[in-house]
Amino acid sequence: MGGVVVEDICIFNMDAIIIKPPMKTPASKRILVLVFALLSGVYIFSVCLKQTNFQTSADFLNIESHLKRCLKYTIDRSQTPFLHYPNPTTFNRAECECNPVRLFVIVSMQRSGSGWFETLLNSHTNVSSNGEIFSVIERRTNASSILSTLDQVYNLDWFSSASKNHCSAAVGFKWMLNQGIMEYHDEIVNYFNRKGVTVIFLFRRNLLRRMVSVLANSYDRHAKLLNGTHKSHVHSPEEAETLASYKPKIDHKTLVADLKSMEKMILEALEYFRCTRHIILYYEDLVKNRTKLVDVQNFLGLPLMPLTSKQVKIHKGPLREHITNWDEVSETLRGTTYEGLFDTDYSN
């Protein structure tokens, strides 16, 4: 069905309408009223335009003022909208005042490799990625609380174990799709474009493996298999083997619908943020081809460095080894577009 425009419909009782002959008004008065209306319209439009562009103009003026003070540094003027010179309220950037900072966000879903990816980024001397800051519900109760939190992060006034603060060249955090970003996407896209925030999408191609990881992680929150402690990420093969010993049972009756729901959410996110400056990454590609990390560093305008992580992958090997009701699952997906998920594997 095509788009339909519904206008207000008013129903009148025709018998109750009394039509009076219009009073004649001198032509000069009618012209005067018309001119006044036109002038008022122009004035109101100009005021609205100034209000709309005030923040953007202020941002560029702020950049220009810093550029004038920092002319001795070589800066690619084509990148100006994405270069920032934060003026934090909690500390002084001192000698790093003229070091431009790029703002980024990692948009992902739980158990899609975002934790591992973030540790890789944070191994870079000049990157501060501050984790899942919107996992706290109070920070995403409405658009205003979200934007206020973003201001704090991107002004370098957010402190975490990853904060490198005054000499950071890139500052960001992880944002899961179920943490408010979809509900307030209009306001967030406008903020990102106005502030020059770049978006790094990170998803998994194999959504069945993601499902196994989600269920296993949820189980361990209560079971606490590692000596009574819950860990979402591990740093030793022994810990990984312990967590992988639990094999979840997947609801095969809703499996196809669940996979389609995950795909739908990813596609919606890509559509909502299509007009931002962004890059799309997949976990499997990063594992197989570490040169992808060079693309990420170039995207963020960082000096190239080898990126490392101490995290160890938990679920290795064929999927049949990690699902209790493998026969039901394989039978459900056989002959569907998801059958190819059985064979997808990678060594790391």
Side-chain angles (χ1 to χ4, degrees), residues 89-108:
T89 60
T90 51
F91 68 94
N92 191 328
R93 294 190 73 205
E95 71 276 6
C96 293
E97 181 185 19
C98 287
N99 286 19
V101 178
R102 292 175 185 264
L103 315 179
F104 70 89
V105 60
I106 304 166
V107 176
S108 187

Side-chain angles (χ1 to χ4, degrees), residues 42-54:
V42 171
Y43 174 75
I44 292 172
F45 175 77
S46 65
V47 170
C48 292
L49 186 62
K50 288 179 180 179
Q51 289 178 339
T52 302
N53 292 328
F54 176 76

Side-chain angles (χ1 to χ4, degrees), residues 6 39 67 89 126 256 285 287 297:
V6 181
L39 291 175
L67 286 176
T89 60
N126 303 115
V256 172
D285 298 342
V287 171
Q297 293 181 75

Side-chain angles (χ1 to χ4, degrees), residues 30-260:
R30 291 201 299 272
I31 293 173
L32 185 62
V33 171
L34 179 61
V35 171
F36 178 77
L38 287 173
L39 291 175
S40 299
V42 171
Y43 174 75
I44 292 172
F45 175 77
S46 65
V47 170
C48 292
L49 186 62
K50 288 179 180 179
Q51 289 178 339
T52 302
N53 292 328
F54 176 76
Q55 182 63 48
T56 301
S57 299
D59 290 342
F60 278 104
L61 284 174
N62 180 50
I63 292 173
E64 288 297 327
S65 65
H66 280 86
L67 286 176
K68 289 177 181 178
R69 293 205 307 271
C70 305
L71 284 178
K72 63 180 179 179
Y73 294 89
T74 302
I75 295 176
D76 181 358
R77 297 300 293 269
S78 68
Q79 294 296 306
T80 297
F82 305 104
L83 300 180
H84 301 268
Y85 299 86
N87 185 24
T89 60
T90 51
F91 68 94
N92 191 328
R93 294 190 73 205
E95 71 276 6
C96 293
E97 181 185 19
C98 287
N99 286 19
V101 178
R102 292 175 185 264
L103 315 179
F104 70 89
V105 60
I106 304 166
V107 176
S108 187
M109 303 172 80
Q110 284 87 352
R111 313 311 296 177
S112 295
S114 62
W116 169 70
F117 178 70
E118 189 175 46
T119 61
L120 288 169
L121 285 185
N122 278 327
S123 71
H124 195 290
T125 306
N126 303 115
V127 176
S128 294
S129 190
N130 295 282
E132 272 179 60
I133 63 174
F134 285 110
S135 61
V136 178
I137 296 177
E138 289 74 20
R139 296 170 188 159
R140 51 182 164 96
T141 53
N142 51 47
S144 178
S145 62
I146 288 175
L147 300 188
S148 176
T149 302
L150 292 177
D151 281 341
Q152 191 176 354
V153 172
Y154 292 137
N155 199 46
L156 304 187
D157 286 318
W158 190 274
F159 293 99
S160 73
S161 59
S163 300
K164 299 182 179 71
N165 297 322
H166 64 289
C167 282
S168 293
V171 173
F173 63 98
K174 292 193 305 179
W175 204 343
M176 303 296 106
L177 295 187
N178 62 350
Q179 294 175 351
I181 190 171
M182 302 291 277
E183 291 82 352
Y184 301 101
H185 62 87
D186 285 334
E187 295 88 344
I188 295 166
V189 167
N190 179 61
Y191 180 97
F192 284 176
N193 287 334
R194 180 163 52 86
K195 294 287 189 177
V197 179
T198 57
V199 181
I200 301 173
F201 288 108
L202 176 62
F203 300 116
R204 288 185 84 151
R205 295 187 186 278
N206 195 319
L207 296 178
L208 185 57
R209 281 188 176 272
R210 175 183 180 266
M211 186 179 290
V212 169
S213 184
V214 168
L215 292 173
N217 186 63
S218 178
Y219 171 80
D220 190 65
R221 288 182 184 278
H222 304 286
K224 297 180 173 59
L225 297 177
L226 295 173
N227 300 319
T229 302
H230 168 62
K231 289 186 178 182
S232 294
H233 307 100
V234 297
H235 299 90
S236 74
E238 292 76 21
E239 289 178 324
E241 186 177 352
T242 299
L243 292 184
S245 65
Y246 170 72
K247 299 180 180 181
K249 181 179 180 179
I250 292 178
D251 187 346
H252 66 283
K253 294 180 181 179
T254 64
L255 178 55
V256 172
D258 291 340
L259 291 172
K260 287 182 177 179

